[in-house]
Amino acid sequence: MKEDQQRPLHLHNHQRNKLSITKLFTNGTAYVILVLLSYTLGYLSHSSSSSPQQQQQLQLHQFTPPPSVFQLANLPTQLDNFRVTAHCSNSPLPPHLVFPTVLDRVFNGSSPYTNFPQPYLESMLKRKRIKGWGSFGAVFEHLIKRVKPRVIIEVGTFLGASALHMVNVTRELRLQTQILCLDDFRGWPGFRDRFKDIKMINGDVLLLQQFMQNVVYFNATESVLPVPFSTGSGLEKFCEWGITADLIEIDAGHDFISAWGDINRAYRILRPGGVIFGHDYFTAADNRGVRRAVNLFAQMNNLKIQTDGQHWVIDTALATRI
């Protein structure tokens, strides 16, 4: 007791501070360390308890490369995503009923060329205004000579350059051929920057009327008939009405989705042994998707693609199955 009392005051203070720190470490820090240690042990225990199968699936998930579009297309569940479906007639119309059917269902039974052009339009239309892209290629004569079509469907027409060229070819070959020109005749946003001479009335561009004037100028009203609807809706209605063709040209939208839809829908109304073909397989536009759409379609349907100039050709009579 005396010895304790004789100890210096600073030694007593040091011992009290050491005791306080020890209590603090014991009550606070130890608890935190205990929690962290428990979490770590639990995590390691869970990882080590994973089955070899689970670890293998994790490794496959990490290192398996993504499938290609052709691998996806070969999967039954994925293939359905590429298909174009619509109700089609089980009884194809004979060729001589194609024009009457379109006149009845689209124009209420009368020709759109009757009393055309109306007086108010005459000053707004050029006597002849022809413009196209690849519209005079040798492919048209090659295919018409080979197929000798009674019905041609042109998907994408604009001012009718290629359709009227095909009229001239069929006349030279003395064929009785009817040509349906499917187009909404709206052009595309900004097209009048390049075609300022195509007039507009109340926001309605006069593409259809100028196309019809071109047909009248070439005296082809008995051979060429416009079908002024979108390509998708028009092709589906052709299929529903039983309208088929021996020769189909695809030259509308140049992006992948548009070209893909047009090719698939048109193929459904192609007569057995017929030919489907189109432009922009070897032009700058193919970068937007035409060539990819054609290649994928041929791959999925085991068809061979032939080329003629800038055009792609799929001949169901001569194509070799791949």
Side-chain angles (χ1 to χ4, degrees), residues 209-265:
Q209 292 80 357
Q210 186 59 63
F211 163 83
M212 293 172 62
Q213 175 59 39
N214 293 337
V215 175
V216 170
Y217 177 85
F218 284 96
N219 193 28
T221 58
E222 298 298 320
S223 302
V224 177
L225 190 61
V227 184
F229 298 100
S230 68
T231 59
S233 62
L235 289 170
E236 287 193 359
K237 282 301 178 182
F238 287 167
C239 202
E240 181 180 322
W241 297 339
I243 292 176
T244 59
D246 309 292
L247 185 63
I248 302 179
E249 181 197 7
I250 306 294
D251 193 13
H254 295 132
D255 62 283
F256 174 84
I257 298 298
S258 297
W260 173 257
D262 290 344
I263 294 168
N264 276 270
R265 291 185 176 97

Side-chain angles (χ1 to χ4, degrees), residues 92-106 150-153 178-180 225 227 238 241-246 271:
L93 289 175
H96 70 277
L97 291 182
V98 168
F99 263 35
T101 298
V102 174
L103 289 174
D104 180 59
R105 292 182 175 269
V106 177
R150 295 189 62 184
V151 177
I152 298 174
I153 294 177
Q178 297 178 325
I179 303 176
L180 296 177
L225 190 61
V227 184
F238 287 167
W241 297 339
I243 292 176
T244 59
D246 309 292
R271 289 177 184 268

